[in-house]
Amino acid sequence: MGEMWFSVVIVLLFSILNVGKAEIYIVTVEGEPVISYKGGIDGFEATAAESDEKIDTTSETVTSYAQHLEKKHDMLLALLFDRGTYKKIYSYRHLINGFAAHISHEQAEILRRAPGVKSVERDWKVRRLTTHTPQFLGLPTGVWPTGGGFDRAGEDIVIGFIDSGIYPHHPSFASHNTEPYGPLPKYRGKCEIDPNTKKDYCNGKIIGAQHFAEAAKAAGSFNPAIDFDSPLDGDGHGSHTAAIAAGNNGIPVRMHGFEFGRASGMAPRARIAVYKALYRLFGGFVADVVAAIEQAVHDGVDILNLSVGPNSPPATTKTTFLNPFDATLLSAVKAGVFIAQAAGNGGPFPKTLLSYSPWIATVAAAVDDRRYKNHLTLGNGKVLAGLGLSPSTHPNRTFTMVAANDVLLDSSVTKYSPADCQRPEVLNKNLVEGNILLCGYSFNFVVGTASIKKVAETAKALGAAGFVLAVENASPGTKFDPVPVRIPGILITDVSMSMELVNYYNITTSRDWTGRVKSFKSTGSIGNGLRPILHKSAPQVAVFSARGPNIKDYSFQDADLLKPDILAPGSLIWAAWAPNGTDEANYCGEGFALISGTSMAAPHIAGIAALIKQHHPHWSPAAIKSALMTTSSTIDRAERPLQAQQYSGSETLMLVPATPFDYGSGHVNPRAALDPGLIFDAGYQDYLGFLCTVPGIDAQEIKKFTHSPCNYTLGHPSNFNSPSIAVSHLVGTQIITRIVTNVAEEETYVVTARMAPEIAIETNPPAMTLRHGASRKFTVTLTVRSVTGAYSFGEVLLKGSRGHKVRIPVATMGYDQ
């Protein structure tokens, strides 16, 4: 499926150790992890940093305290259980204090009651969220020159990828054609050795490569033959996301002898650190992913890209912000790491987001300005539109069309659903050669047992002039992506056009009384689909991109925090692929793939965040996120408000006006994000304040995950200093506060706001002057004028005297009480 998710099955394993049904559990215990230990244990000095910054993980203080925690984990297990009845898989010491173990349900219950144990959580699986874009985003002219050109863009910034690994031999990751990469002392990650070639996976560009599969192995899900017990990408997804964020500049995208342009990462000079924790068939285990995040932060990455999300709600926590995933990521942000996470691919339906927390940049997917269209011209003069990344049939000529079902070698082969054109050996080459082969798009294509690539191979093997794949009935929401093919070919996706083709073919084809064809008289020609058409209506929110509103708990109650945060290209993105990656049947064995998903959108933001970090090395993750959000755009190339793809009553796509629940603050604008004027900053204490203010949240649960008591609250969660405002239940009047910090020269800002008529909005003060580095508070007052039973949207605009524009979206629903 083009949506690039790991589909996941929960694997239950009967342990051979006679301990009942053993599964993976993540256990947290009393005591501070390295990131928040402030001292107090004899013989161990404090390891927590003063503010939100990186900790020197190589120092004697940190390593001895980390060893002390691991010893305590081992002692706890050894005290409670007999040797050989359990398996500890990881010790978590840096971001959370705990461990992952393969134990029975009974042992999990014993642990749950043991003194010093805070939580026992059954592992709950994750899935992945599945290149023209640098030009579309204005990087080569607007951003790279300020960093010293593309050959310096992202210099010395390390982006970590929690994904399916990497194919290190791809030209997008080669280092022999670039200026040599020197050592980078701030990064301490290691490079695993390939068990077969005995070479490591690093080359300067790829600076670290490790894999995490202990939980998968313990659960019996891991198959080394296809999953690779190394950082090698057995899927394609990991190579694709790494190339989008940090692939080399100007790599020719060649396939089937055609060049589809040149691919480049957002930050072509950034370093890539690989943390493989996702696998082809089963997705991944949270235990492995948490271990990978821990390791990445310990190693010193600057940016973390997560094109992955939880597969289902966890069993024990009710709060979305405190699932083990988000809690670990909160500690990563405390260590100064910026996190980009895919929003999810459950759109266009509301509340489908899989990324919830304010410390994460949640990325929605846009369709950019390229469309690959093609057409089939029939002998009766009708022109049928379709998709086809293919060359045209011979110009000025028409070709006879033959349907697969009419050219069977033997009627007994119908059990192979020959209309799919997947098997050349069941079709008569004498009847197909030199003609256009007509095939049917069946359910097999939807489930992945048939592929367009195979249709093209069948047509080529039979000597066809080209092929047509007609969709005769489509289930609502089927997404059709153009696929590059070697020979002329077209996919007719509109059912009514497919019917026109079928009717024309039937009228012109004469048959005997048994139904066998006497003569093929229908003709046609296929246009050239290799050149994209550039559309002014871009960007649009992609139909699959997960939508808000955000939820605060797993009973789907609305949160007072706007998500997604930002929109970035995520539809039909060309990037590197692993030749042994089989995730997409249409790209088996290829070096590049053209695929869609919020998986593709997140690394665009990770790479652009690297460019901002290069310019502003001391900015916090919240400052980088704020710069991206407040400078984003809510209008398309044609200067109209952004639109979102949505389903109409039937399966047809239509465009509707987009809202902040579709795009967050808007479509990313990298040039403006380098110089945002003002930022909405936040740190660990602010995130704690947010958590402590969420209604219905258990203070003990917060302490369990953060090791911090609730010392203060924000009055209302919408007072968290986010570059967006969401009030899910507005009664009467509510005053919301925000604090801005000037990161430019002294400037005077005029503050204005606009809102849908049913909600009144006021801001105070009307204007403010800030010196460089100064912070000022302002308030936004929302009042219900009339109750509509739906969300109302608006924005607050801070317009600077030196030209800066800072915009934050507002979403609220008014109630009588």
Side-chain angles (χ1 to χ4, degrees), residues 546-559:
R547 310 294 210 255
N550 194 11
I551 55 169
K552 66 180 180 186
D553 58 34
Y554 289 106
S555 53
F556 289 85
Q557 290 194 63
D558 294 19

Side-chain angles (χ1 to χ4, degrees), residues 547-717:
R547 310 294 210 255
N550 194 11
I551 55 169
K552 66 180 180 186
D553 58 34
Y554 289 106
S555 53
F556 289 85
Q557 290 194 63
D558 294 19
D560 294 301
L561 179 80
L562 187 67
K563 288 280 175 177
D565 291 311
I566 195 148
L567 185 65
S571 181
L572 302 181
I573 305 296
W574 275 115
W577 198 245
N580 40 20
T582 61
D583 180 66
E584 291 276 323
N586 288 315
Y587 297 99
C588 282
E590 302 296 349
F592 291 90
L594 177 75
I595 51 177
S596 303
T598 51
S599 274
M600 284 65 251
H604 281 93
I605 294 299
I608 295 163
L611 301 175
I612 298 174
K613 180 90 176 167
Q614 180 188 10
H615 273 261
H616 305 284
H618 303 299
W619 278 14
S620 68
I624 296 173
K625 181 177 158 184
S626 173
L628 287 163
M629 287 173 67
T630 62
T631 58
S632 63
S633 170
T634 57
I635 55 167
D636 66 18
R637 285 289 173 86
E639 302 286 315
R640 290 185 309 239
L642 284 181
Q643 294 181 294
Q645 294 182 342
Q646 182 59 266
Y647 293 132
S648 62
S650 66
E651 63 273 8
T652 53
L653 273 187
M654 61 176 189
L655 291 171
V656 297
T659 76
F661 290 157
D662 304 320
Y663 56 64
S665 55
H667 192 275
V668 65
N669 178 346
R671 187 189 311 197
L674 289 179
D675 179 22
L678 302 175
I679 55 165
F680 294 77
D681 210 350
Y684 189 68
Q685 290 306 316
D686 302 292
Y687 297 126
L688 277 181
F690 169 77
L691 288 173
C692 293
T693 313
V694 173
I697 202 165
D698 180 356
Q700 283 309 110
E701 200 176 9
I702 295 172
K703 193 165 193 296
K704 181 175 85 182
F705 282 102
T706 65
H707 314 279
S708 305
C710 277
N711 289 335
Y712 80 105
T713 73
L714 307 171
H716 190 274

Side-chain angles (χ1 to χ4, degrees), residues 130-148:
T130 291
T131 349
H132 154 93
T133 44
Q135 280 77 11
F136 179 69
L137 295 170
L139 292 172
T141 54
V143 178
W144 292 349
T146 56

Side-chain angles (χ1 to χ4, degrees), residues 4 10 68 220 231 237 257 266 303 325 465 624 636 652 720 734:
M4 292 307 301
I10 298 291
H68 159 75
H237 190 263
M266 301 293 103
I303 315 279
F325 219 65
I624 296 173
D636 66 18
T652 53
F720 171 73
Q734 188 171 323

Side-chain angles (χ1 to χ4, degrees), residues 20-270:
K21 193 164 61 180
E23 293 184 71
I24 312 290
Y25 287 86
I26 298 171
V27 182
T28 60
V29 295
E30 298 284 353
E32 303 287 336
V34 166
I35 193 133
S36 54
Y37 172 59
K38 297 188 176 71
I41 301 173
D42 281 353
F44 297 100
E45 289 175 46
T47 53
E50 285 306 304
S51 59
D52 300 359
E53 58 186 52
K54 295 203 166 151
I55 288 172
D56 178 6
T57 50
T58 57
S59 71
E60 173 61 30
T61 315
V62 169
T63 49
S64 67
Y65 182 65
Q67 282 165 354
H68 159 75
L69 292 180
E70 183 156 5
K71 263 195 204 132
K72 288 189 76 170
H73 302 161
D74 295 341
M75 278 167 62
L76 173 67
L77 285 163
L79 277 168
L80 292 176
F81 309 124
D82 294 341
R83 230 174 115 184
T85 65
Y86 66 89
K87 181 171 193 245
K88 187 188 82 171
I89 293 165
Y90 296 108
S91 264
Y92 305 124
R93 305 158 309 174
H94 294 276
L95 306 181
I96 55 176
N97 177 18
F99 53 88
H102 191 232
I103 52 177
S104 69
H105 176 68
E106 294 77 11
Q107 288 173 313
E109 285 307 311
I110 293 167
L111 265 173
R112 207 168 262 129
R113 294 193 293 271
V117 170
K118 286 161 55 167
S119 70
V120 179
E121 177 98 54
R122 197 181 76 191
D123 197 307
W124 42 282
K125 288 298 192 63
V126 297
R127 52 185 170 179
R128 68 204 150 143
L129 304 167
T130 291
T131 349
H132 154 93
T133 44
Q135 280 77 11
F136 179 69
L137 295 170
L139 292 172
T141 54
V143 178
W144 292 349
T146 56
F150 73 83
D151 50 351
R152 285 280 169 270
E155 184 82 77
D156 292 348
I157 303 295
V158 180
I159 308 178
F161 295 88
I162 313 283
D163 216 304
S164 66
I166 198 161
Y167 181 65
H169 313 298
H170 198 280
S172 285
F173 313 124
S175 55
H176 49 262
N177 291 333
T178 56
E179 194 181 315
Y181 285 93
L184 198 58
K186 71 171 184 180
Y187 180 74
R188 294 171 295 273
K190 64 174 192 276
C191 281
E192 288 181 21
I193 306 292
D194 183 325
N196 300 324
T197 65
K198 303 291 179 264
K199 286 185 177 161
D200 72 30
Y201 284 84
C202 296
N203 61 3
K205 169 77 176 167
I206 301 171
I207 197 172
Q210 300 168 62
H211 81 294
F212 300 82
E214 294 309 309
K217 288 175 184 172
S221 300
F222 188 82
N223 176 354
I226 53 172
D227 292 319
F228 302 118
D229 207 356
S230 76
L232 187 64
D233 187 358
D235 177 89
H237 190 263
S239 302
H240 202 269
T241 53
I244 290 169
N248 289 328
N249 181 57
I251 303 302
V253 177
R254 289 203 187 96
M255 210 166 151
H256 307 316
F258 307 115
E259 190 172 304
F260 292 101
R262 291 177 176 257
S264 170
M266 301 293 103
R269 186 70 180 168

